[in-house]
Amino acid sequence: MALRPTRLNPLFTDITTLAGVGPRIAKLIEKVAGPRLVDLLWHLPSSVIDRRFAPKVGDAPPGRVCTLTVEVLAHNPPPNRNSRLPYKVTCGDGTGRITLTFFHAQKDYLAQTLPVGETRAISGKIEVYDGQRQMAHPDHIVPVSQKEAIQRVEPVYPLTAGLAPKTLAKAVTGAMDKVPDLPEWLDSAQIQRDTWPPWAEALRVAHHPGSEGDLNPNGPARQRLAYDEFLSNQLALALVRAKSRRLSGRPIKGDGTKRKTVVAVLPYTLTGAQQRTLAEIDADMGSDTRMLRLLQGDVGSGKTVVALLAMLSAIEAGGQAALMAPTELLAQQHFQTLEPLCQGCGVSIAFLSGRIKGKAREEVLADIASGSTHILVGTHALFQKDVAFDDLMLAVVDEQHRFGVHQRLELAQKGRAVDMLVMTATPIPRTLTLTAYGDMDASRLDEKPAGRKPIDTRLVNLERLSETIGAAQRAIKSGAKVYWVCPLVEESEVSDLAAAEDRHKHLSQILGESVVALVHGRMKGPEKDAAMASFGSTEPDSPKVLVATTVIEVGVDVPLATVMVVEHAERFGLAQLHQLRGRIGRSDKPSTCLLLYQAPLTETATARLNILRETDDGFLIAEEDLKLRGGGEVLGTRQSGLPEFRLADLAIHGDLLLMARDDTKLILEKDSDLKTVRGEALRTLLYLFEQDAAIQTLRSG
Ligand code: ADP
Ligand code: MG
């Protein structure tokens, strides 16, 4: 980001430039906050300790944090060799005495910090032991001249093991000292109405709260910070979108012939939601602005056929279409679904991924360039440089949340005014949709295709594992296939894998070697596909159980699978569990989902899992999950690609997000290139929140 305003540069330097932060400390700080100064600014305190209360020793109430001024009277080391007993230092003032206790004490250090006969200011919680006042490991011990510095409301930051509160606090202070004066990017009327402080002042209040009340996320300082973050997000999305709109659109209208042919051979009729969505897409494509539409539909809601029918319009109009999926497997599955339908209506369809190389690849590319291939299905290989279309009219992106905003733009640039349809199977609450896509047009497939059997979802204590295996065995005997999903271990892909491998071994011993297959994220693509394909096969000796890590989460279709077991369901996000569950219930036989949990469950965890038992409506599940857990965690995984907010909390600040959306609209109506004085300030805001894609848009005009 070469053009970043220079006054922001200090904030984007490494934390190791701070006094007292060496490589070891830096690693710890990086773990909780991040590697740069700006990350420390965004690392807000989670609570406070009020050290303003400074009574005499004789008045210091047990259980309360006090800041005392005391004379050091005597040192009492523990009797020799008994290092389990504390080192004691007796202190006092005219009104009483207090014993400071230190376990595993370093004598020299104590002799230095608490010399007998000197006066010191100390702060910590008063306890009573054997009828005597004491303080175990005071939080602060300073010369009296520094008393004022500790007698205050102290912010408490989220920490990690090995990182001392003081060390982190000092680093934050160091970062705060580098906060530059920045031009105001908010509208003055709005600041006045909400009595929000300027940005730097808001940060100061957030990091030096004057009281517990200043931690209130709806206090003016925190609101302001949250709003700035939302505004940068909304502005960035709107800029990217405005750019793709400026590449002006052209009306695309099919004559409906190919579409009619395909609809006639489908073994079902389109649901009302599918028809409504298609009408919305047709209207967008038929207009002379570019389409940018989000198609949200639960797993199994039938997005693929909607995408196909939309693509057929483009082909009827004489153009081409592309369908991009996030994984090789999904792309192949789409291709296999679409190929026979395309053949039936005289449309030529091709497949492209990174695995197609050499001559085969050249042929595919040549046919796309000449226009003899109408539909290209594939992975992100579709937007590589050498892929040139004759006339790409419509790009469909499946499971969009795995792709970044700029990838979407790149595909859009592969044609003149390409219309975009973005499909996601993750039901995202409206507020989250807004943060991920901005004010994008959205269609929802909120109606399940007819004939779907509801899935019987049950919560099962992990202790009943062997009964669960028995149930799986019975299901297999009756011809079913079983997904067995292994626990998600947040921090390590390696331990995910170990858990899955162990379970695979265990189940193989009980059910038989050839009965159980394994698939996980560390497998190479072809290996993974082979495992999935053999599980999906209807051959009598094909595997009946697929032990998997969450790689099967997205999109895979095996109708015979009617049982799903999820181990440690409490560790998954609800939306993720819902998506997993969507892998079953795809046949005319009833399906069962067993959510194995580790007892005891917290109240919230129980409530969350019960939502799954009670409803199959992905949108409802997502909304409830947002309420219970807060935005960042809804999807359960960091790799979800949804923006994460450091200062704003979607569960709390949802109304601010809507304000930011409206503000963004007004800003860009008046100043679409951010050229006014306020516009310049808003650019600074974008840099501050590292909205690279948006800034590139502005730079490339
Ligand atoms: P999604 O991609 O939304 O998860 P798919 O497009 O893969 O869902 O559709 C799931 C299954 O439902 C497919 O087997 C598809 O043929 C079928 N399907 C789609 N639309 C309908 C419909 N209107 N009625 C019955 N089945 C349908
Ligand atoms: Mg799909």
Side-chain angles (χ1 to χ4, degrees):
M1 292 217 291
L3 295 189
R4 179 164 60 210
T6 47
R7 57 182 142 188
L8 285 182
N9 284 343
L11 297 182
F12 289 89
T13 54
D14 210 276
I15 45 177
T16 49
T17 58
L18 290 170
V21 181
R24 189 184 68 83
I25 301 283
K27 239 191 208 135
L28 296 170
I29 294 182
E30 189 171 338
K31 204 165 154 200
V32 289
R36 303 150 315 162
L37 266 58
V38 72
D39 298 309
L40 281 169
L41 300 185
W42 304 156
H43 192 61
L44 297 185
S46 51
S47 62
V48 294
I49 300 176
D50 189 342
R51 302 190 186 280
R52 288 174 300 181
F53 183 48
K56 290 286 177 203
V57 173
D59 302 327
R64 189 160 168 191
V65 171
C66 298
T67 299
L68 305 175
T69 306
V70 293
E71 189 186 338
V72 182
L73 300 174
H75 278 237
N76 305 92
N80 266 348
R81 283 162 208 257
N82 196 344
S83 62
R84 288 233 199 119
L85 292 176
Y87 187 111
K88 295 182 181 178
V89 179
T90 311
C91 300
D93 60 11
T95 64
R97 291 187 166 203
I98 184 162
T99 306
L100 313 184
T101 57
F102 301 88
F103 290 86
H104 307 291
Q106 283 183 310
K107 265 188 195 176
D108 297 348
Y109 166 78
L110 289 178
Q112 228 174 46
T113 38
L114 291 163
V116 174
E118 301 265 322
T119 307
R120 288 286 180 266
I122 59 172
S123 186
K125 195 190 248 171
I126 309 290
E127 289 158 13
V128 172
Y129 187 76
D130 263 353
Q132 306 261 334
R133 274 194 187 80
Q134 72 166 41
M135 189 183 286
H137 296 267
D139 302 321
H140 298 278
I141 303 172
V142 296
V144 181
S145 62
Q146 290 170 30
K147 184 177 172 192
E148 239 169 68
I150 62 166
Q151 189 187 339
R152 60 182 187 107
V153 178
E154 184 180 283
V156 176
Y157 292 98
L159 290 168
T160 184
L163 184 60
K166 263 186 259 185
T167 313
L168 180 59
K170 194 170 157 224
V172 174
T173 306
M176 285 295 292
D177 287 345
K178 294 277 164 59
V179 166
D181 247 345
L182 297 179
E184 181 57 77
W185 47 75
L186 293 188
D187 183 47
S188 57
Q190 177 184 16
I191 289 189
Q192 272 163 24
R193 191 187 59 223
D194 297 307
T195 61
W196 285 350
W199 175 72
E201 168 70 9
L203 258 189
R204 207 193 51 74
V205 173
H207 283 288
H208 302 291
S211 68
E212 189 86 49
D214 284 341
L215 291 176
N216 178 355
N218 279 321
R222 290 255 184 155
Q223 274 201 340
R224 150 110 218 206
L225 294 177
Y227 187 77
D228 288 342
E229 192 171 31
F230 279 150
L231 185 61
S232 75
N233 160 268
Q234 290 299 293
L235 201 53
L237 289 165
L239 283 167
V240 170
R241 180 172 188 197
K243 165 155 187 186
S244 70
R245 280 228 154 138
R246 269 203 294 276
L247 311 164
S248 75
R250 52 175 167 162
I252 294 166
K253 283 199 182 86
D255 60 13
T257 47
K258 294 189 186 305
R259 199 184 263 190
K260 212 181 269 162
T261 314
V262 168
V263 168
V265 301
L266 290 175
Y268 49 78
T269 50
L270 297 178
T271 64
Q274 283 170 323
Q275 288 174 18
R276 192 190 64 229
T277 298
L278 268 173
E280 287 164 348
I281 293 170
D282 287 346
D284 281 357
M285 289 177 66
S287 83
D288 56 8
T289 52
R290 300 184 65 201
M291 173 167 80
L292 185 55
R293 179 167 287 276
L294 179 65
L295 172 53
Q296 283 188 293
D298 226 337
V299 168
S301 59
K303 292 184 292 298
T304 319
V305 70
V306 171
L308 172 62
L309 297 178
M311 291 193 288
L312 290 183
S313 275
I315 289 141
E316 287 164 3
Q320 293 168 295
L323 171 59
M324 181 165 82
T327 66
E328 176 93 22
L329 196 64
L330 276 169
Q332 273 176 4
Q333 199 161 57
H334 279 317
F335 180 73
Q336 278 154 16
T337 310
L338 300 184
E339 194 183 23
L341 292 169
C342 285
Q343 270 166 1
C345 65
V347 166
S348 80
I349 181 168
F351 179 81
L352 186 67
S353 79
R355 276 197 233 154
I356 293 182
K357 298 203 171 92
K359 212 165 162 111
R361 181 180 168 88
E362 274 165 35
E363 274 168 27
V364 173
L365 293 185
D367 287 346
I368 299 164
S370 73
S372 66
T373 289
H374 300 124
I375 296 182
L376 183 62
V377 177
T379 58
H380 55 274
L382 296 200
F383 56 72
Q384 277 163 6
K385 279 218 178 61
D386 58 347
V387 183
F389 288 83
D390 174 42
D391 187 5
L392 180 63
M393 287 184 178
L394 172 65
V396 183
V397 181
D398 194 8
E399 318 288 0
Q400 160 68 21
H401 65 271
R402 306 229 161 185
F403 297 107
V405 173
H406 54 280
Q407 283 168 311
R408 200 196 294 162
L409 270 184
E410 276 176 80
L411 189 59
Q413 279 158 1
K414 289 242 174 249
R416 286 184 294 133
V418 180
D419 281 327
M420 295 282 288
L421 180 66
V422 169
M423 309 199 292
T424 171
T426 312
I428 308 174
R430 282 200 195 281
T431 42
L432 276 181
T433 314
L434 202 51
T435 66
Y437 305 103
D439 213 2
M440 195 176 190
D441 299 314
S443 303
R444 281 184 165 198
L445 289 181
D446 48 12
E447 186 183 338
K448 286 261 151 70
R452 288 282 149 75
K453 290 265 183 338
I455 298 166
D456 181 14
T457 300
R458 296 184 209 171
L459 305 187
V460 181
N461 192 323
L462 251 177
E463 279 174 8
R464 290 169 50 197
L465 180 67
S466 56
E467 289 167 56
T468 307
I469 296 174
Q473 206 159 14
R474 285 193 299 280
I476 295 167
K477 283 222 176 83
S478 71
K481 299 212 173 200
V482 178
Y483 283 113
W484 193 293
V485 182
C486 280
L488 183 82
V489 184
E490 283 269 336
E491 290 187 9
S492 146
E493 203 182 311
V494 182
S495 35
D496 273 10
L497 179 54
E501 279 174 340
D502 283 354
R503 184 59 72 221
H504 175 247
K505 208 186 276 169
H506 179 201
L507 292 176
S508 300
Q509 274 160 11
I510 299 175
L511 303 172
E513 198 82 31
S514 62
V515 176
V516 190
L518 175 67
V519 60
H520 57 73
R522 282 280 179 99
M523 280 177 162
K524 292 239 161 52
E527 210 185 336
K528 205 190 293 178
D529 293 353
M532 288 300 310
S534 72
F535 178 66
S537 151
T538 49
E539 295 294 314
D541 55 354
S542 60
K544 303 297 184 292
V545 179
L546 183 68
V547 176
T549 54
T550 41
V551 289
I552 59 160
E553 183 186 342
V554 185
V556 181
D557 204 1
V558 180
L560 271 183
T562 54
V563 178
M564 171 163 293
V565 178
V566 184
E567 281 191 55
H568 283 290
E570 77 279 1
R571 294 184 191 165
F572 290 79
L574 276 199
Q576 205 178 11
L577 284 174
H578 176 66
Q579 276 214 334
L580 282 169
R581 181 170 66 175
R583 303 290 123 237
I584 58 173
R586 294 189 159 219
S587 81
D588 47 6
K589 305 233 167 52
S591 291
T592 310
C593 177
L594 301 174
L595 301 176
L596 301 191
Y597 64 89
Q598 172 93 63
L601 282 181
T602 63
E603 215 169 289
T604 313
T606 314
R608 290 179 62 238
L609 291 179
N610 272 326
I611 295 170
L612 282 177
R613 249 183 19 177
E614 284 154 17
T615 178
D616 189 34
D617 179 337
F619 291 106
L620 194 79
I621 289 170
E623 302 279 355
E624 291 296 318
D625 204 21
L626 179 62
K627 273 189 228 149
L628 285 174
R629 299 223 299 177
E633 288 181 86
V634 168
L635 293 170
T637 52
R638 299 216 142 207
Q639 62 190 354
S640 63
L642 285 178
E644 284 181 54
F645 293 98
R646 308 277 313 257
L647 306 168
D649 182 341
L650 278 167
I652 296 169
H653 298 126
D655 53 334
L656 293 180
L657 176 64
L658 299 181
M659 272 170 63
R661 176 197 62 189
D662 296 344
D663 199 8
T664 295
K665 247 188 228 155
L666 290 177
I667 292 167
L668 294 182
E669 264 165 30
K670 283 190 256 169
D671 182 17
S672 60
D673 296 316
L674 300 185
K675 289 270 168 60
T676 63
V677 173
R678 188 181 174 204
E680 283 294 331
L682 285 162
R683 285 175 183 242
T684 305
L685 174 73
L686 291 172
Y687 278 107
L688 184 61
F689 284 97
E690 302 171 77
Q691 300 288 359
D692 306 37
I695 292 164
Q696 274 168 21
T697 321
L698 284 171
R699 274 164 43 189
S700 62

